[in-house]
Amino acid sequence: MRTRYRRLIVAAAAVLLAPSALGIAEPDPAGTVLEHRDIADTAVARATCADDSLPEPGLQGDVPAADRESGRSTQGYRCNISRIGGYAGRGAGITSTQFEHCVYLGSFFPGNLLGPAQGVQVIDVADPANPIRTATLTEPAMLAGTWESLKVHAARKLLVGTGVPAMTGAGLISVYDISDCAHPRLLNPGPGTDVSLPIQITAHEGGFSPDGRTYWASGVIPGIVSAVDLTDPAVPRVIWQGMPGQSMHGMGLRADGNRLYLANNMGGLTILDTSAVQRRDPDPQVPIIAQLTWTDGWATQQNVPVTYHGVPYLFSTDEAGSGGVKLIDISDDTRPRVVNTIKLEINLQRHRDSALASGMGGSIFAYDAHYCSADRPVNPTALACGWISSGIRVFDVRDPLQVREIAYYNPPARTGQNAELWNSPHALASIIGLPLLSAPSVLQAIEAGAFDPEQAQSSRTGDVAFGDMSTDWCFSAPEWRGNQLWAACADNGLLTLQLSPEVYTPPVDQHSTVGS
């Protein structure tokens, strides 16, 4: 009976979690597949927590089944970070963005339409202990859900978001003047905002060129990428469009704007030569310089360009498949190569069974990286990441080849409060209990003989529907404010956090960077 039960568990996992069932393509045989198991299967050193911490009880990054079942996860976990204040509202959508003393909480369709604050919420954080909502942005793109498109260009004082009602949107984009950050002013009442005057984009994710003249929009179904000229923010117009892959995601740009580092949803990196767009050539051509694919992680989310002692690198996050954050050497941008990976213990292949045991019943996402910010683009000293069900994670990256964790904050789970969190994607997705986005990594562990069906069992086994929100989902990049981090998580909304000075000293030229 025991052997038969094991076989049933493995068979069920293989069927339910097979990539083909989720529409995940196999790596392109014409691409470059890089697989370094010695890098991929190593976790960063744990943080040493101060006495006043509430540390995780088991594997690094895990929220154990016992803590979910007992309600312990509603207290959260913290290590070398304390909470200053916050603004919960009805949830924070998927990703949010910031400028000066303001935070713009993303909207999630259709829940945000239920209010009481429809659209994008503008939060004044002049007093980090008591943030207040000062405005809501209710243009069509903001009401349609901003997904991962909401971005700020600080020098030009612009806020842009596109309308994404379901995975991919089209036509809607709104541009705001945020000179008064607490009261954004719409700049384009015509094209992109007037629903009778759509612009020809697909939308899911977006980002600014370094000079702020171009907003790059990407869709995931299909992977169309568009360059939107914002020289005149009142008249956004598409000046280039192409489809460099089947499904594209987030991006980072080189400081001169001549390279676009595009995340490939199938797991990988596509480097585009965008110099013709940057020059505003009449008929710009945007060739692909290089493609790098991997099977260690997929749904690659974001690329943050940084340099160490003049050598350019990317911090590249995988949203699914436990790929963690890769460090990619792009000194030769025709031959990018992975040189390190930042993972937590719960992300390792040998712990895929334990991750499934605790993640069951928590809905489609589990313990994956999503969005990160470096504390400066040149010789960064720290990286802060939203790590979905593992909360906010902070790493010392002064030596990018010897990364160690220094702090974390996993906010209190809002278990059972689904009906109150209309603007949280977690609340809606919790109709599903199965951690579907862990699928490829579980299947790989099974194939490698590193998956123990008994270890994958817990009190939560079989919870495949009506997830209980026993963790939060932290999607947004936490942004650096001296020793503070301002972060947004789907259920808890805005969180203002204080890092212990014993583990982090802000550099004098600290400048939070997310890559675009």
Side-chain angles (χ1 to χ4, degrees), residues 13 16-19 22 24 298 319-322 346-347 352 355-356 359-360 363-368 434-445 451:
L16 290 172
L17 301 176
L22 299 175
I24 302 164
W298 64 283
E319 178 181 1
S322 267
I346 196 63
N347 299 128
R352 291 289 77 206
L356 188 60
M360 285 294 293
S363 195
I364 58 176
F365 284 99
Y367 307 109
D368 285 296
L434 204 66
L436 289 174
L437 297 186
S438 298
S441 59
V442 170
L443 193 60
Q444 287 171 352
F451 187 91

Side-chain angles (χ1 to χ4, degrees), residues 27-160:
D28 180 357
T32 303
V33 179
L34 184 67
E35 193 78 355
H36 288 317
R37 294 315 310 184
D38 56 334
I39 294 176
D41 290 335
T42 302
V44 298
R46 284 174 169 245
T48 300
C49 300
D51 291 341
D52 61 348
S53 298
L54 286 176
E56 298 163 332
L59 291 171
Q60 182 188 33
D62 188 24
V63 181
D67 282 12
R68 294 174 184 250
E69 296 291 275
S70 69
R72 164 65 185 84
S73 66
T74 61
Q75 300 174 44
Y77 310 95
R78 67 176 188 270
C79 174
N80 303 330
I81 295 181
S82 57
R83 184 178 182 272
I84 302 169
Y87 179 90
R90 299 292 183 178
I94 298 180
T95 62
S96 303
T97 192
Q98 308 180 17
F99 178 64
E100 291 184 344
H101 56 88
C102 297
V103 174
Y104 308 99
L105 296 181
S107 59
F108 187 73
F109 180 88
N112 83 88
L113 300 181
L114 298 175
Q118 296 180 331
V120 168
Q121 300 171 79
V122 180
I123 313 299
D124 188 332
V125 199
D127 177 1
N130 297 288
I132 58 171
R133 178 167 53 85
T134 55
T136 54
L137 308 180
T138 56
E139 281 67 40
M142 305 295 104
L143 294 176
T146 53
W147 213 274
E148 292 152 345
S149 72
L150 205 60
K151 295 294 193 302
V152 157
H153 191 273
R156 294 195 69 193
K157 300 183 179 180
L158 295 178
L159 169 70
V160 172

